[in-house]
Structures are given as C-alpha cells and as structure tokens.
Amino acid sequence: MSQISYRKCLECNTLNENSDYCQHCGAIINIVLKRKLESEEKAFQKLEQQKLEKPSAITTFLKGTLKHPNLIVRLVAKTLYSIWMLVMMIGAALAFVFSYIAA
C-alpha cells in the first residue's frame, strides 16, 4: 500500500495529495523538483552568457598564430605552445606526487 503525502501550496494554500504541482493554481509544490528546475535554469543561463562573451584579445591572438599563413610564425607558436603544455603536465604531475606523499 502506498503512502499518501499531503503538500500545501505556498501560492494559494490549497492542500494537495500525492502531487508535485498544485491542482488549483499549477504552482510547483515539490521543493526538490523546484530546486532542480532552478538549478537547470541557472546552468542554461550561464551557458548562454558564455556563448555571448567575446574571447579576449590574447586568446584571439594566440589562436591566430597557430593558424598563421607564415610557416615560421606558425612553427614558433606551436613550439611555445608545446613547451607550455609540457610545463603544465610536469606541474600537474608534481602536484599529484606531493599531494599523495602529504596524505
């Protein structure tokens, strides 16, 4: 036998039985569902805002140098990018080792 749960609508004070939405006014009365929908809406708005933001001038410059028509500029950019990635990988590995030792 299933349990009966009663929820009171915060909008119209109607008592609802086993429902996530108010039967009288249609408002959400399930708090967990309401928080989940609000969280999804915030994530969607943040994603839309990130799409609208223009990349910085430095990012645009660096991406442009990786696709530059001049071979020398392209090789220098790719070499510097590769060195930077290698330094970041070594730093991440050291951080992992030190955190493993410290724990």
Side-chain angles (χ1 to χ4, degrees), residues 11-27:
E11 303 290 326
C12 64
N13 293 328
T14 304
L15 198 59
N16 296 286
E17 181 180 316
N18 292 339
S19 178
D20 291 335
Y21 295 91
C22 179
Q23 296 170 354
H24 185 261
C25 68

Side-chain angles (χ1 to χ4, degrees), residues 63-96:
K63 284 184 180 179
T65 57
L66 290 174
K67 297 177 183 176
H68 198 275
N70 189 344
L71 179 64
I72 296 172
V73 173
R74 204 170 46 235
L75 288 175
V76 169
K78 287 184 180 187
T79 303
L80 292 175
Y81 183 75
S82 299
I83 291 170
W84 176 250
M85 290 305 294
L86 183 64
V87 168
M88 295 303 290
M89 288 186 337
I90 292 170
L94 288 175
F96 175 74

Side-chain angles (χ1 to χ4, degrees), residues 40-50:
E40 289 174 356
E41 180 65 26
K42 283 182 183 179
F44 178 74
Q45 287 177 356
K46 187 175 182 180
L47 184 64
E48 288 296 318
Q49 185 178 4
Q50 287 177 348

Side-chain angles (χ1 to χ4, degrees), residues 47-60:
L47 184 64
E48 288 296 318
Q49 185 178 4
Q50 287 177 348
K51 286 181 183 178
L52 294 176
E53 288 180 1
K54 246 175 57 173
S56 68
I58 295 172
T59 305
T60 307

